[in-house]
């Protein structure tokens, strides 16, 4: 693990149960997207997965090639406790930015907004996403549509459609990127749903 400060930060958040982003089930926009996927053999990565309710939902629907990644080991162990038959080799205790592999589908769920919103970090995110996608792969997920303030300690960090496209557009082609119509009530009007492919 190369990014010790981030690992320590998120581990402490889990230890102190300061996980306000955790709604306890897969978010509706992602669940709706999963429900229309037909190929159960595709490889799927969920980085910054936390308690990974999205992965659990995919498993129940018959997807076997799901990889769950987090920089803290705590949520991975919790996920394993809830899903004892899940292959250990598909639990990735890693720094996303150091990971090497390629996937058909990468799921974004509050991950982009979890790290300090510097130009360096956000460019690195977009570049790494493009690198981890197969040529016909897709980055699909939900981004917070909330103001980005100058408070660099209050996570999750926000952004806007234009701001996200500024970074993602360097490496990825936008298929769709619009305000979520099916967010859960507390997040209605505060989420964007996007699908992107490598350029």
């Amino acid at each position: 693990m190369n990014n010790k400060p981030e690992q320590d930060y998120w581990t402490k958040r889990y230890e102190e149960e300061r996980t306000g982003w955790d709604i306890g089930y897969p978010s509706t926009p992602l669940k709706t997207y999963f429900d229309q996927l037909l190929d159960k053999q595709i490889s799927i990565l969920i980085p910054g997965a936390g308690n990974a309710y999205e992965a659990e939902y995919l498993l129940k629907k018959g997807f076997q090639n799901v990889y769950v990644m987090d920089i803290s080991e705590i949520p991975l162990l919790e996920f394993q406790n809830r899903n004892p038959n899940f292959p250990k080799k598909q639990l990735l205790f890693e720094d996303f930015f150091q990971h090497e592999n390629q996937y058909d589908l990468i799921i974004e769920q509050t991950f982009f907004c979890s790290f300090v919103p510097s130009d360096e970090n956000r460019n690195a995110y977009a570049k790494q996403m493009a690198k981890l996608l197969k040529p016909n792969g897709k980055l699909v997920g939900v981004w917070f549509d909330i103001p980005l303030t100058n408070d660099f300690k209050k996570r999750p960090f926000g952004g806007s459609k234009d701001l996200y496209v500024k970074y993602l557009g360097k490496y990825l082609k936008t298929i769709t990127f619009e305000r979520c119509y099916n967010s859960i009530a507390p997040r209605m009007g505060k989420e964007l749903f996007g699908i992107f492919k490598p350029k």
Side-chain angles (χ1 to χ4, degrees), residues 13-82:
R13 289 284 297 257
Y14 283 106
E15 287 173 345
E16 296 175 352
E17 298 184 358
R18 291 188 294 122
T19 54
W21 67 86
D22 188 327
I23 60 175
Y25 51 88
S27 70
T28 312
L30 287 176
K31 182 175 177 290
T32 302
Y33 179 78
F34 296 155
D35 286 346
Q36 54 82 49
L37 291 175
L38 299 177
D39 185 357
K40 303 291 177 69
Q41 303 304 313
I42 60 172
S43 56
I44 303 173
L45 174 67
I46 308 178
N51 285 308
Y53 303 110
E54 290 77 17
E56 258 178 286
Y57 186 75
L58 287 164
L59 289 174
K60 289 174 183 174
K61 290 186 68 69
F63 291 86
Q64 298 297 318
N65 298 317
V66 180
Y67 293 79
V68 178
M69 177 189 290
D70 207 277
I71 200 167
S72 172
E73 195 171 21
I74 291 176
L76 296 176
L77 294 173
E78 287 293 324
F79 179 85
Q80 193 168 41
N81 287 338
R82 298 196 317 267

Side-chain angles (χ1 to χ4, degrees), residues 6 18 23 26 78-79 84 87 95 126 130 132 135 138 173 193-194:
E6 283 291 293
R18 291 188 294 122
I23 60 175
E78 287 293 324
F79 179 85
D95 179 352
L132 294 179
K138 293 178 183 177
K173 176 184 177 183
F193 177 81

Side-chain angles (χ1 to χ4, degrees), residues 23-177:
I23 60 175
Y25 51 88
S27 70
T28 312
L30 287 176
K31 182 175 177 290
T32 302
Y33 179 78
F34 296 155
D35 286 346
Q36 54 82 49
L37 291 175
L38 299 177
D39 185 357
K40 303 291 177 69
Q41 303 304 313
I42 60 172
S43 56
I44 303 173
L45 174 67
I46 308 178
N51 285 308
Y53 303 110
E54 290 77 17
E56 258 178 286
Y57 186 75
L58 287 164
L59 289 174
K60 289 174 183 174
K61 290 186 68 69
F63 291 86
Q64 298 297 318
N65 298 317
V66 180
Y67 293 79
V68 178
M69 177 189 290
D70 207 277
I71 200 167
S72 172
E73 195 171 21
I74 291 176
L76 296 176
L77 294 173
E78 287 293 324
F79 179 85
Q80 193 168 41
N81 287 338
R82 298 196 317 267
N83 302 276
N85 295 323
F86 187 80
K88 288 186 178 181
K89 67 179 182 179
Q90 290 170 222
L91 285 172
L92 308 176
F93 175 37
E94 291 185 40
D95 179 352
F96 165 78
F97 295 102
Q98 304 297 321
H99 186 60
E100 294 186 9
N101 207 340
Q102 284 195 313
Y103 301 88
D104 297 300
L105 179 62
I106 302 179
I107 300 301
E108 161 65 47
Q109 171 64 12
T110 72
F111 179 52
F112 185 89
C113 300
S114 69
F115 43 80
V116 175
S118 65
D119 278 338
E120 181 183 4
N121 283 345
R122 291 192 158 185
N123 272 317
Y125 166 99
K127 185 176 182 179
Q128 179 70 347
M129 280 295 184
K131 180 183 174 184
L132 294 179
L133 285 170
K134 293 180 181 179
N136 290 319
K138 293 178 183 177
L139 167 63
V140 176
V142 176
W143 286 257
F144 281 130
D145 188 15
I146 55 178
L148 178 59
T149 68
N150 290 322
D151 184 351
F152 277 20
K153 293 185 178 179
K154 189 175 182 181
R155 309 189 194 205
F157 301 107
S160 64
K161 179 178 177 179
D162 289 344
L163 183 62
Y164 297 141
V165 169
K166 170 186 168 185
Y167 295 102
L168 296 171
K170 294 178 183 178
Y171 305 98
L172 299 161
K173 176 184 177 183
T174 304
I175 305 304
T176 185
F177 199 28

